[in-house]
Amino acid sequence: MDQEDRIALFLDYENLALGARDHHGGRAFDFRPIADALAERGRVVVRRAYADWSYFDEDRRMLTRSHVELIEIPQRMGASRKNAADIKMAVDAVELAFERGYISTFVICTGDSDFTPLVHKLRELNKRVIGVGVEKSTSALLPPACDEFLYYDRLEGVDVLPVRGRRGRPAARPTEPPQPGQVDREAVEPERPPAAEEPARDADALAVLVAQTVAGLQGSSDGEVTASRLKRTLLRKDPTFSESDYGFRTFGELLRHLAGHNVVELAEGPAKGDPEVSLPEHGDQEVAFALLRTVVAELAASGGPVALSGLKNQLRRARPEFSEKKLGYRSFLQFGKAAATAGEVTLAWSAEADDYLLTPRQG
C-alpha cells in the first residue's frame, strides 16, 4: 500500500453537474465513473464537493453514498456566490497540500479556468494534479496546466446521448403534395444520418506521436525508455491523451499494436508489465534509406545533385505511405542527415542553390 498514490479529490460541483446536464441531454451527473477512474490511479483519502446543496437534493444523496464530504456554500446575490465557492475550494486544497504531506495527487473536478492558478500552485508544491471536466464546458486554458486531464464524457460508464439532427416526421403523418411553386424539400435534400459518436483519433497520428516521443527520450538521456515513462511523457505533451481514444483498452495493448506495425520494438523491462520501448533499428528505416538512395540516384542521373526541397514528394510518388515522422524523425532534413550518416547519400548545403543538395552513394 506504501507504493500507492494518495489522492485528494475536490469537486466544483455546480460547474461539473450543470455542465454534464447541459451537454448530455439533461441526464443527471453520475459520480461513479470518476470514482472508478481514480481507483485505478491510487487510494482516494479525501473527497470533498462544494455547492449550494439546496439546489442538488438528489445529487447530495448520491454523493453521500459515495462517502463524499459536502461543503455548503450558501446562495448569495451577484457574483459573490461563485467566488465564495472558488475561494473556499482553493484555500482548502492548498491548506491540505501543506498539512498532509503524504497526499501526492490532487484531483480538481471543474472546467473553470479560474482554478488554473490553483493547479500551478499545487504543482509548484510537487503535487501531481489531475483535472476532470465536461468536454464542451471546459476552458481550453485548464487541461494544459494539469499533469493529466480526464474528460468526464469519455470515462467508462458515462453514456452520452448523440446530438440529434433535424427531427424526422412521424411515419403516420400523411405526406402533403407540394403547392404550385413550392419545392419539395424532402425530395431535394437527402435525409441526414443520425449523428454518430466521435470517431477514433487518427492511427497514423498516433504512430507519429509515439515514434517522435520515443526518439526524443532516447536522444535526451542514456536510460532505457519504459512503457510507464513513455506514458508519463505523452501525458506531459498532452494531458488529455488516452489510449481509449484510439480504440485500445490499455496502454500495453496500444504498444503491442504499434510493435506489430513495426513502429516500435518491445523488450523485457525492469519490471513485469513495464516493457522497454525502442525504435526499430532495422526494417522500415533500412527500407526508407534504400528508397531515398534509389530516388536520389534516379534523379541525379539526369540532372546532377538533387535539392532537398521537393524530394519528399518524389519519395511519396514511389511509396505513398512514406513518412519520416513514423520513423521518429521530426523533419525530412533530420531524416536526410541520418541517411547521410549511414552512408546512403551525401548531403551538403549549397549557398548557390540556397538548399541542401544530395548525391547518391558512390560504389
Side-chain angles (χ1 to χ4, degrees):
M1 191 169 68
D2 291 337
Q3 301 295 327
E4 291 182 321
D5 280 339
R6 267 66 166 193
I7 298 174
L9 170 65
F10 292 82
L11 295 101
D12 178 12
Y13 197 78
E14 183 172 348
N15 177 280
L16 203 62
L18 295 184
R21 290 174 184 176
D22 289 346
H23 299 290
H24 292 180
R27 287 193 177 184
F29 171 78
D30 185 6
F31 175 72
R32 177 50 53 188
I34 294 178
D36 290 344
L38 296 183
E40 298 167 358
R41 289 163 171 78
R43 181 176 172 225
V44 181
V45 296
V46 174
R47 302 182 183 191
R48 295 179 185 174
Y50 298 74
D52 184 339
W53 296 109
S54 63
Y55 290 89
F56 300 100
D57 280 339
E58 293 299 323
D59 305 63
R60 180 169 53 188
R61 298 186 185 93
M62 176 263 297
L63 292 170
T64 301
R65 287 193 295 268
S66 297
H67 309 288
V68 177
E69 181 184 0
L70 307 183
I71 308 299
E72 180 72 32
I73 306 295
Q75 171 108 27
R76 295 185 178 89
M77 298 299 293
S80 61
R81 179 179 62 87
K82 175 183 181 298
N83 291 340
D86 291 359
I87 292 171
K88 173 62 174 170
M89 182 167 149
V91 168
D92 285 358
V94 172
E95 181 181 37
L96 204 66
F98 280 105
E99 291 186 349
R100 304 289 187 267
Y102 55 82
I103 295 178
S104 57
T105 302
F106 283 74
V107 179
I108 308 299
C109 296
T110 184
D112 192 344
S113 61
D114 289 351
F115 285 97
T116 304
L118 170 63
V119 172
H120 289 319
K121 177 56 65 176
L122 291 172
R123 295 186 68 183
E124 183 182 321
L125 295 171
N126 198 29
K127 305 299 182 181
R128 184 165 183 262
V129 181
I130 300 175
V132 182
V134 177
E135 189 163 6
K136 291 184 178 180
S137 62
T138 294
S139 167
L141 298 175
L142 189 59
C146 301
D147 293 293
E148 182 179 2
F149 197 91
L150 306 176
Y151 285 118
Y152 172 77
D153 324 58
R154 302 181 188 177
L155 295 179
E156 186 69 28
V158 177
D159 296 323
V160 180
L161 292 174
V163 179
R164 293 183 177 273
R166 185 185 59 182
R167 182 175 297 178
R169 295 182 178 180
R173 181 176 176 177
T175 304
E176 298 179 3
Q179 299 297 321
Q182 179 182 356
V183 178
D184 186 352
R185 301 185 67 87
E186 291 200 350
V188 175
E189 296 180 2
E191 177 121 7
R192 296 180 186 176
E197 294 182 1
E198 182 182 354
R201 295 186 181 181
D202 185 15
D204 286 341
L206 171 65
V208 169
L209 174 65
V210 172
Q212 287 183 335
T213 304
V214 173
L217 289 172
Q218 288 179 331
S220 62
S221 65
D222 297 329
E224 58 196 8
V225 180
T226 60
S228 58
R229 182 183 176 195
L230 174 60
K231 177 68 178 288
R232 289 194 299 270
T233 305
L234 290 171
L235 285 171
R236 283 195 289 269
K237 286 185 171 184
D238 178 9
T240 68
F241 172 83
S242 173
E243 58 273 7
S244 63
D245 291 341
Y246 298 91
F248 299 98
R249 294 170 295 178
T250 64
F251 190 63
E253 183 179 327
L254 181 155
L255 290 178
R256 290 190 292 273
H257 169 81
L258 294 179
H261 287 76
N262 207 33
V263 176
V264 297
E265 288 182 347
L266 301 179
E268 186 175 351
K272 185 177 180 180
D274 192 15
E276 183 178 348
V277 186
S278 61
L279 293 177
E281 295 183 1
H282 305 288
D284 278 359
Q285 180 168 276
E286 285 190 344
V287 172
F289 284 170
L291 174 66
L292 176 65
R293 183 180 67 244
T294 301
V295 171
V296 169
E298 291 175 353
L299 296 173
S302 58
V306 181
L308 183 71
S309 58
L311 181 57
K312 182 174 179 178
N313 291 333
Q314 298 292 333
L315 266 65
R316 283 184 166 171
R317 286 192 181 98
R319 186 182 174 193
E321 69 274 14
F322 170 79
S323 170
E324 76 282 357
K325 291 182 171 61
K326 287 186 179 180
L327 301 172
Y329 299 104
R330 287 182 169 82
S331 66
F332 187 66
L333 173 60
Q334 188 183 36
F335 168 74
K337 289 180 177 179
T341 301
E344 301 293 339
V345 294
T346 61
L347 177 71
W349 173 257
S350 170
E352 183 179 352
D354 194 27
D355 200 350
Y356 285 94
L357 299 181
L358 294 88
T359 54
R361 180 183 63 183
Q362 300 299 321

